[in-house]
Amino acid sequence: MIPEIDRTLCMGCGRCVEVCPPLAIEIIDENANIDETLCEECGFCAAVCPVDAISIPFPLSPQSGPSPWS
């Protein structure tokens, strides 16, 4: 899944840019931006974000049924 960036949290620190293997992230107007055509969906960017501005949207599997945490 392509990571999502919460622009209200992103500080534009650039840590995600430094760890992105395919160089799919750049800082524009003090916010990280992901080029979805280059992203390899590795999740390194989300792992290093100091303010948790990057998340990976994991969808529930349709075969899994209702969540036991609901």
Side-chain angles (χ1 to χ4, degrees), residues 2-20:
I2 301 292
E4 295 178 348
I5 300 172
D6 182 335
R7 299 193 190 296
T8 63
L9 295 175
C10 181
M11 306 180 312
C13 69
R15 291 184 188 179
C16 54
V17 175
E18 295 170 5
V19 300
C20 182

Side-chain angles (χ1 to χ4, degrees), residues 32-67:
N33 289 278
I34 298 173
D35 181 336
E36 294 182 10
T37 63
L38 296 176
C39 179
E40 295 177 352
E41 303 176 26
C42 66
F44 293 162
C45 55
V48 301
C49 182
V51 294
D52 295 325
I54 304 175
S55 61
I56 310 294
F58 292 105
L60 291 176
S61 168
Q63 293 82 17
S64 66
S67 171

